[in-house]
Structures are given as structure tokens and as C-alpha cells.
Amino acid sequence: MKNVHIDARAAKDIDQRIDRVHRDLSYSGGKIELPQVRDLLRLDLHYYRADDPNLLGEVVHKLKIGAKQVIERPALLLEAVRRFDLNALFIPDRKRILIDSSVPDLKKRWYESHEVAHSLIPWHNDYMLGDDRTTLSQASHEAIEAEANYGAGRLLFPHRAFSEARLSGVNSLAQVREIAKHFGNTITSTLWRCVEQSDEVTFASISEHPHYMREGKLPIEYFVSSKLFERQFPHVTESEIWEWLPTYCSYRQTGPLGSSEIVLRDANGTSNVFGIESFSIKYSVLTLARFLRQLPVQISVSRGTIAT
Ligand SMILES: [Zn+2]
């Protein structure tokens, strides 16, 4: 899956809404505490199990979607859960966030923030459930989800503090891990935000281990690139990244797997050298690559005699 850069106007609007939350929280650094965010926004949080319709029915007791009484058709909601935000959802008229309790704890933080972002973006309310949502085109659905992910990133990585942390040194996986610790977020979500927000030519992937691929998994789960990378290297694919990994990654199961330099041609045909490094956490390998330098242009001279 590839990250989607949202349009600049929507980004600015979302930034203002999230900045306001940080201001109202008197945020001064470190981890964002989500219970405080919920208090401030008067949201409540419930857990459900997607495989237990009774419990879900209980949670959504008397809940309405538009004029429809969902309780009469819990299957409708269940289907929405399964079809869209598989692990979480937001119910606007109840200001209620529902999260699948079987989601690993570390991921719950991200899902909750994603739903908080939906709640803060007014034009999302119309789309959250019900007929609008089921008839929403795939493209609009993806745009809405990308906006919620963007908002979640902004919420968990407050802009000014995050920019300072990112720009304080050379982008590397060691730096990503430090930033993750500082903001109390996962390394994966931190890597994603660091690349997405970067003004440099950089990309990252979250993948299987190149030497221990698990059955039934996608080799590259996420391919995230900065805006500049996307513009200059629109043709780079997930399968290319997957082919580079075994060329320098060690067989270690956790920790640093190695680093290397790779050469990538940009859209103009110029060769560029990137530094690439990988680090393995329990189930995923995180890879970060950034532009180092351009290779001098090579002029090929065809053989033959020059007529004089
Ligand atoms: Zn969503």
C-alpha cells in the first residue's frame, strides 16, 4: 500500500483544527495522552469484538444512522465495520469511538487517533456510516481515510515539536527510534510520519524480513514516500524495494540488518545515489532510504572514425 498525500487546502484546514486541540491541551512536549484528548473533545471510547455481534449490538444500543435504527439491523453496522475501518469506527451522533478489542495495544493508539481525526474533520461526518458511505466511490473513500491518517499523524506528532525533532539531525532509523520514544508512538508510525512530512527526497518501507518471509503476507506492506520523491521517482515500485533488501540485509531476526547504497534513475534519466538501511522489529522490517548525491553524467561515445 502506498501513502497518499492529501491536498494542500485540506491539510491546512486539518492542521488548524489539530493545532487548536494542542493549544487547548496546553501541550508542552512529549507524549499526547489520548484520554485527555477525549475529555477535551467530549468523545467516548468503547471496545467491541468484530466477531461478537451481541457485544457490538450492546455497544450500539439505540444508536441511529440517519433515521435508521441500527439496533434493528446490527448486521448493517457489522458489515460497515468489516468493509471499511476494519479495526475501528467513529459514530458521529454519539461522539463515540469504537475499537476492536482484539487489536494489539500499540496499534489501538493509532486507530483511536485516526477516529479522533474523523471526529474533528466536519466534512467526514456525513460519510462516516450509512448510505452515503456505502455508495461512496473508492477514490473518495481513500481520500477520506488519507485525511484521517494525516490528522492522526498531526495529533500524535505535534507539528512544531515534531519538526524540531526531525530537523535536529540526519534522518536515520536511529533518529526515528529516538523520536518514537519521545512522543510515545510506535516506531512504524514514526517512520511513516518522518518520511511523509519530509522536505527531502526520501522513502521508507515496512515489509517482511527478506530472509524470513511469512506465508500469506505481502512482501512490502507499506511504501511511504516524501512529496519530492514521488515527484522525481514516480516509477519506483514496491517490488524493486523488495529486490534490494536481500542484497544488503543480514539474517539477524531483530535489530539493525545493514545498510548500503543504491542507484536510482529519476524521471529525467539522471542517476542518483541513495543511502538505504533496514532494521527489524518483531514482525516487520523497517527500511529508510534518502538521497545522497547525483552521479556524474556519463557520455557514451560511439566507436567509429571521425571523418575529417
Ligand atoms: Zn477511517
Side-chain angles (χ1 to χ4, degrees):
M1 194 170 109
K2 185 90 179 62
N3 64 320
V4 179
H5 289 284
I6 66 168
D7 94 39
R9 246 179 60 197
K12 201 171 159 206
D13 189 309
I14 295 168
D15 289 350
Q16 284 169 353
R17 291 172 197 279
I18 303 278
D19 286 350
R20 169 146 195 197
V21 171
H22 292 143
R23 266 203 314 278
D24 290 348
L25 287 174
S26 306
Y27 176 78
S28 59
K31 183 179 179 182
I32 290 288
E33 297 296 346
L34 290 177
Q36 291 176 9
V37 174
R38 287 201 307 272
D39 266 2
L40 175 75
L41 301 173
R42 298 205 170 81
L43 294 168
D44 78 351
L45 171 69
H46 284 258
Y47 293 100
Y48 70 92
R49 290 183 58 98
D51 56 2
D52 183 350
N54 292 331
L55 187 61
L56 185 60
E58 207 175 285
V59 168
V60 298
H61 186 57
K62 288 182 185 162
L63 174 80
K64 285 181 181 174
I65 293 174
K68 277 181 215 148
Q69 192 78 36
V70 168
I71 195 68
E72 288 167 12
R73 298 192 55 198
L76 183 76
L77 186 63
L78 206 59
E79 200 205 315
V81 168
R82 291 193 173 136
R83 278 187 62 185
F84 300 110
D85 282 356
L86 291 161
N87 301 297
L89 73 156
F90 172 62
I91 296 163
D93 52 359
R94 286 296 167 108
K95 301 199 78 178
R96 173 167 293 177
I97 290 170
L98 298 175
I99 296 183
D100 185 339
S101 57
S102 62
V103 166
D105 283 343
L106 273 174
K107 286 195 174 173
K108 284 192 178 101
R109 180 169 165 82
W110 179 260
Y111 288 126
E112 186 181 340
S113 306
H114 174 102
E115 301 307 325
V116 168
H118 275 312
S119 82
L120 283 168
I121 305 173
W123 61 94
H124 283 204
N125 285 2
D126 300 338
Y127 295 116
M128 289 318 292
L129 274 175
D131 295 337
D132 288 340
R133 188 140 192 213
T134 46
T135 54
L136 203 60
S137 73
Q138 189 60 26
S140 317
H141 177 69
E142 275 170 16
I144 295 260
E145 289 312 294
E147 286 172 1
N149 281 334
Y150 175 83
R154 281 280 175 158
L155 179 68
L156 293 180
F157 299 93
H159 185 56
R160 188 183 296 177
F162 181 50
S163 299
E164 277 169 16
R166 274 193 309 112
L167 302 173
S168 65
V170 176
N171 276 323
S172 65
L173 289 175
Q175 188 203 35
V176 167
R177 280 161 50 223
E178 249 171 54
I179 295 177
K181 213 186 215 173
H182 178 77
F183 291 101
N185 297 324
T186 61
I187 303 173
T188 310
S189 64
T190 307
L191 176 65
W192 182 302
R193 297 313 126 187
C194 281
V195 169
E196 189 183 61
Q197 300 281 312
S198 175
D199 295 321
E200 293 179 25
V201 184
T202 176
F203 69 89
S205 71
I206 293 136
S207 70
E208 287 289 295
H209 193 299
H211 302 300
Y212 306 105
M213 166 98 187
R214 289 172 297 172
E215 235 174 86
K217 297 280 179 185
L218 282 173
I220 304 276
E221 191 181 5
Y222 298 110
F223 169 24
V224 188
S225 55
S226 68
K227 277 188 194 151
L228 274 183
F229 183 85
E230 206 168 83
R231 202 175 303 151
Q232 295 174 22
F233 300 85
H235 49 279
V236 172
T237 62
E238 292 165 14
S239 49
E240 273 174 85
I241 302 176
W242 184 240
E243 281 167 22
W244 292 319
L245 297 184
T247 64
Y248 67 87
C249 283
S250 74
Y251 284 79
R252 276 180 78 154
Q253 298 209 343
T254 53
L257 298 183
S259 63
S260 184
E261 289 190 355
I262 53 172
V263 177
L264 286 183
R265 268 175 197 263
D266 62 23
N268 298 322
T270 310
S271 297
N272 299 268
V273 180
F274 280 72
I276 189 167
E277 56 166 331
S278 296
F279 187 96
S280 179
I281 50 176
K282 214 171 172 189
Y283 294 110
S284 335
V285 168
L286 310 179
T287 297
L288 176 63
R290 56 187 196 92
F291 169 79
L292 296 180
R293 62 186 179 275
Q294 278 193 343
L295 279 184
V297 183
Q298 288 185 353
I299 300 163
S300 62
V301 180
S302 59
R303 286 184 190 181
T305 44
I306 298 166
T308 51

